[in-house]
Amino acid sequence: MDLKQIEKINTYEWEISRSVQPWMRVPVRIFSDEIMLKAALQDRSLDQAVNAASLPGLVGSVCVMPDVHQGYGFPIGGVAATDVQEGVISPGGIGYDINCGVRLMASDLPRQAAEHLLEDFTRLLYQACPSGVGEKGIVQVQAKELRRICEQGSGWALKNGFADREDIETSEDGGCIAGADWAAVSRRASERGAEQIGSLGSGNHFIEVDYVEQVFDEQAAAVMGLHKGSIAIQLHSGSRGFGHQVCTDFVHQFQAVAAKYHIQLPDRELVCAPLNSTEGRAYLSAMRAAANYAFCNRQVLAYAVRQTFEDCFPGYHLRNVYDLAHNIGKIETHRIGGQSVRVCVHRKGATRAFAPGHPDLPQQYQKIGQPVLVPGSMGTSSWVLVGTESAMLKSFGSCSHGAGRVLSRTQAKKEVNGGQLREELAARGIFVQAGSLRGLAEEAPRAYKNIDRVIECIEGTGLGRSVARLVPLAVIKG
Ligand code: 5GP
Ligand code: MN
Ligand code: MN
């Protein structure tokens, strides 16, 4: 892809027209400024967006967020909506870590009152929350119980003493998506999932102790319980080996399906099946089971985080602000060309960002809009925004999910020394507890784009509105 093939709409919006490649059914709309757009041209992410524009039944445009980078088939930071009647569903458009997502919890604990206990607290968190590759979780279950987790999501955690009602109310979809089907889940996935509920994983997944450094919207921040100078905690995890196996199973199964349904694709990593087919429905049901697994996983972890926090800082409560998916396919209604259309919104490395008044939002967020959680890196700020009407109109109610990578994992490991990085962060007052120093190097702040610039693009195009900025004090990396 070449900058010459991209039309500038305004400072923060760009378009790749359908005429660029013969297979494109819809244009690609990029939300970015020129500098970040040029950065995106350094990898294959925009070519991948152009390829994704070939999927049958797409409506509107394929959307690209400012944090875009290359992924499997689809770019990470991509959003695509397909008509439920005529469209397809593509596992690559959702991602291997189904319902990877972020949860934010907030407290009234002032940063100053926490500081002297912070390292001890972080060590206790590290003990309470299993992390690392293949690590067993807080909860280990048999297949029968796993089935309930897949059907009930965070509801299972509530029934089993790992959640408060408020946690459920302040999670996307109440922490459970209807329509999960255990029968669509392979035995291998079930085996991999049975032991990992309540585990963080490795690499990019983290638990981070932050403080609210700045508030931009007093009213919205107050509704979320975010106060300047207070401690907040972010948790980033997904569906572990379970979701990965579900994705793997269907990517394999779908390889043969495209031909059966006469679907031609410019890249085989885009494999898909009609939403209205046996295969498409099976994937949707299994994907929902994995999404519910992830909701439950984050909930169980969050509960352990809360217990540790409340033991360490008596008298302070850690309440849920929001729990948000950023790798998921959702059936939603959107207005496209003046009409209401039922679509499957593929959000891969992108969050939902519904506007104020949307019926799917919990009561307390009706007025301000949905909280949008945008982590930056362990050495920079993270942002809390709210969804907007512009997002509803421009991006199927979606926003960016992070800063996005600039360095591949391999590159980052070459350029960064993990031990040195840990010391640099410590010198800046950020305490790091990591499973491996090599893993830490992959996650160096310089491996990610400039988060503040991403947010400037988001504000510029109106996909979200800033509420607060968080700054890290301690981080746990698996
Ligand atoms: P992903 O789900 O695509 O792996 O990551 C989402 C985003 O999280 C990344 O784009 C990056 O900006 C952010 N991120 C990765 N590691 C950390 C971390 O340790 N702390 C914070 N606050 N953000 C991180
Ligand atoms: Mn993620
Ligand atoms: Mn993940």
Side-chain angles (χ1 to χ4, degrees):
M1 185 57 50
D2 199 294
L3 192 57
K4 288 195 220 75
Q5 294 170 291
I6 305 174
E7 185 197 346
K8 181 173 182 172
I9 309 292
N10 59 50
T11 315
Y12 297 108
E13 284 181 52
W14 308 75
E15 185 155 291
I16 304 174
S17 97
R18 273 177 56 184
S19 59
V20 166
Q21 290 294 352
W23 58 72
M24 288 175 76
R25 294 173 193 259
V26 296
V28 171
R29 178 57 66 126
I30 307 159
F31 301 99
S32 189
D33 65 11
E34 190 163 345
I35 292 177
M36 299 210 67
L37 181 66
K38 283 182 177 160
L41 287 166
Q42 300 305 306
D43 67 15
R44 291 194 59 245
S45 53
L46 296 181
D47 298 299
Q48 291 186 323
V50 164
N51 291 344
S54 67
L55 293 177
L58 280 171
V59 298
S61 312
V62 167
C63 299
V64 170
M65 296 296 162
D67 58 334
V68 71
H69 53 113
Q70 195 175 312
Y72 179 86
F74 262 67
I76 295 159
V79 179
T82 47
D83 186 285
V84 289
Q85 299 302 331
E86 293 148 27
V88 295
I89 187 164
S90 173
I94 288 164
Y96 273 88
D97 191 1
I98 296 166
N99 189 6
C100 190
V102 176
R103 171 177 288 228
L104 174 66
M105 293 167 279
S107 79
D108 294 337
L109 174 66
R111 173 194 171 188
Q112 287 81 358
E115 242 150 14
H116 68 290
L117 281 174
L118 213 59
E119 290 193 11
D120 288 345
F121 170 55
T122 307
R123 286 196 188 93
L124 289 171
L125 273 184
Y126 190 70
Q127 283 165 16
C129 301
S131 59
V133 191
E135 186 65 31
K136 285 183 184 171
I138 293 169
V139 177
Q140 283 136 46
V141 294
Q142 304 287 318
K144 203 171 129 197
E145 209 59 23
L146 186 62
R147 175 184 182 154
R148 294 202 181 103
I149 289 172
C150 291
E151 290 167 353
Q152 300 167 15
S154 294
W156 182 91
L158 182 66
K159 278 189 200 137
N160 289 274
F162 295 102
D164 297 342
R165 191 152 290 282
E166 198 194 359
D167 293 332
I168 309 295
E169 284 160 9
T170 49
S171 293
E172 180 171 343
D173 294 312
C176 179
I177 298 179
D181 183 0
W182 179 248
V185 171
S186 71
R187 196 190 170 123
R188 180 83 193 99
S190 152
E191 282 164 4
R192 289 181 69 180
E195 295 195 324
Q196 292 190 318
I197 283 287
S199 67
L200 190 63
S202 60
N204 53 342
H205 300 129
F206 63 85
I207 298 173
E208 189 176 277
V209 185
D210 297 296
Y211 72 97
V212 181
E213 181 249 354
Q214 192 64 261
V215 167
F216 303 96
D217 180 331
E218 288 289 347
Q219 190 212 348
V223 172
M224 294 186 204
L226 294 168
H227 311 293
K228 191 172 172 179
S230 294
I231 297 291
I233 297 184
Q234 295 183 83
L235 189 161
H236 175 216
S237 187
S239 50
R240 312 288 292 107
F242 184 79
H244 195 278
Q245 190 61 44
V246 167
C247 185
T248 305
D249 291 341
F250 282 89
V251 163
H252 285 159
Q253 196 188 315
F254 280 13
Q255 292 296 353
V257 169
K260 176 177 164 190
Y261 292 107
H262 311 292
I263 300 169
Q264 285 183 355
L265 299 165
D267 179 353
R268 58 182 277 132
E269 291 185 0
L270 290 169
V271 283
C272 57
L275 274 155
N276 234 336
S277 65
T278 317
E279 297 90 344
R281 275 191 293 269
Y283 170 64
L284 187 61
S285 318
M287 189 270 298
R288 286 167 167 167
N292 291 340
Y293 183 99
F295 278 128
C296 185
N297 179 42
R298 283 196 295 277
Q299 178 59 51
V300 169
L301 280 170
Y303 207 72
V305 170
R306 178 181 293 144
Q307 280 188 326
T308 309
F309 178 89
E310 293 180 359
D311 282 350
C312 233
F313 305 106
Y316 290 99
H317 177 55
L318 191 66
R319 66 187 165 274
N320 198 38
V321 176
Y322 206 63
D323 185 287
L324 182 62
H326 60 220
N327 274 4
I328 200 151
K330 306 275 290 276
I331 308 296
E332 296 172 357
T333 303
H334 287 277
R335 284 198 79 75
I336 294 139
Q339 280 184 328
S340 270
V341 189
R342 287 293 274 173
V343 287
C344 176
V345 184
H346 297 65
R347 294 192 181 95
K348 180 183 188 181
T351 69
R352 200 179 73 170
F354 280 179
H358 195 286
D360 290 354
L361 297 187
Q363 195 54 41
Q364 68 255 54
Y365 295 140
Q366 281 293 329
K367 273 219 174 82
I368 63 168
Q370 182 211 297
V372 174
L373 312 173
V374 192
S377 80
M378 60 180 147
T380 57
S381 44
S382 297
W383 291 71
V384 183
L385 295 88
V386 276
T388 61
E389 210 45 62
S390 287
M392 300 312 296
L393 295 171
K394 292 182 179 179
S395 59
F396 309 102
S398 313
C399 191
S400 64
H401 88 310
R405 280 194 165 270
V406 266
L407 295 184
S408 69
R409 293 179 179 284
T410 327
Q411 256 174 312
K413 259 189 299 208
K414 259 191 222 151
E415 292 182 20
V416 181
N417 175 301
Q420 218 173 325
L421 172 63
R422 191 168 61 181
E423 277 166 35
E424 277 165 25
L425 289 167
R428 292 177 44 208
I430 303 164
F431 178 64
V432 176
Q433 185 82 48
S436 93
L437 288 176
R438 282 172 68 79
L440 192 68
E442 292 177 3
E443 294 300 311
R446 55 186 284 219
Y448 290 100
K449 298 183 195 183
N450 180 341
I451 186 66
D452 297 341
R453 194 161 201 116
V454 168
I455 300 300
E456 189 190 315
C457 294
I458 291 298
E459 284 271 0
T461 191
L463 300 187
R465 222 163 39 71
S466 300
V467 173
R469 190 167 58 208
L470 313 173
V471 165
L473 296 170
V475 56
I476 291 173
K477 284 276 188 180

